[in-house]
Amino acid sequence: MIKELVHEKEWIEAFAIMKELRTNLNQSTYLDFLQSMKKEGYKLFALYYNEQIVALTGIIMQTNFYFGKHVFVHDLVTKSSERSKGYGEELLTHIHHYAKDNGCGIVALESGLSRIDAHRFYETKMGYEKIAYSFTKVL
């Protein structure tokens, strides 16, 4: 089952898995950021197996000049003990359908340079193309 997490209790339940991807977060910061992000349109979806969250994805629907109306995947993580069971594929496929159902022509995401296994998953299994580098400047 895949569902959007909308209540703080659900967000807290999901925190341990999100922390596997976003290791810099503590629960308080996670909840603070999530409150702000929700106001900006961020949605957090969880995939449940045996009534336990096994994978998460956080998305936002946006429009810009280069992608048009699209869904951007900010977060995609499967619980470390549950990887390679198809949960990431199932969750990302759900997001593809969600995007299409909401008039989006593209699903976009970024992935850290060191995440070679994730890149292989996105490109080989899910059909994503590597089209750009992402640059940041700490101020």
Side-chain angles (χ1 to χ4, degrees):
M1 170 183 73
I2 296 172
K3 75 172 200 172
E4 183 181 353
L5 305 182
V6 295
H7 303 290
E8 187 169 304
K9 179 181 175 217
E10 296 169 321
W11 301 343
I12 291 169
E13 180 186 359
F15 174 68
I17 297 172
M18 183 62 79
K19 186 158 176 65
E20 290 187 30
L21 178 64
R22 306 295 179 211
T23 57
N24 60 309
L25 294 176
N26 61 46
Q27 186 171 300
S28 177
T29 303
Y30 162 77
L31 292 172
D32 288 346
F33 283 171
L34 192 47
Q35 288 284 359
S36 294
M37 292 160 58
K38 293 290 279 181
K39 291 175 187 169
E40 297 169 2
Y42 180 90
K43 296 180 181 295
L44 183 61
F45 291 90
L47 187 148
Y48 288 79
Y49 181 76
N50 287 336
E51 299 181 22
Q52 298 290 318
I53 297 173
V54 295
L56 295 169
T57 189
I59 66 162
I60 191 165
M61 199 174 327
Q62 302 175 306
T63 303
N64 59 31
F65 291 123
Y66 47 95
F67 290 143
K69 186 175 180 185
H70 66 283
V71 165
F72 190 87
V73 178
H74 282 286
D75 312 290
L76 178 66
V77 59
T78 299
K79 186 176 180 180
S80 59
S81 62
E82 301 295 327
R83 293 192 181 135
S84 299
K85 295 181 180 179
Y87 298 135
E89 181 177 1
E90 186 176 345
L91 196 49
L92 200 49
T93 298
H94 176 81
I95 297 306
H96 296 165
H97 293 296
Y98 175 88
K100 234 181 196 176
D101 291 347
N102 284 280
C104 298
I106 289 179
V107 173
L109 56 84
E110 294 177 349
S111 181
L113 292 173
S114 65
R115 301 191 66 230
I116 304 302
D117 290 339
H119 303 168
R120 185 172 31 257
F121 167 73
Y122 295 132
E123 292 175 298
T124 305
K125 193 150 205 140
M126 301 305 298
Y128 281 69
E129 295 178 61
K130 200 179 295 180
I131 62 164
Y133 285 101
S134 180
F135 294 91
T136 62
K137 180 175 176 72
V138 176
L139 303 176

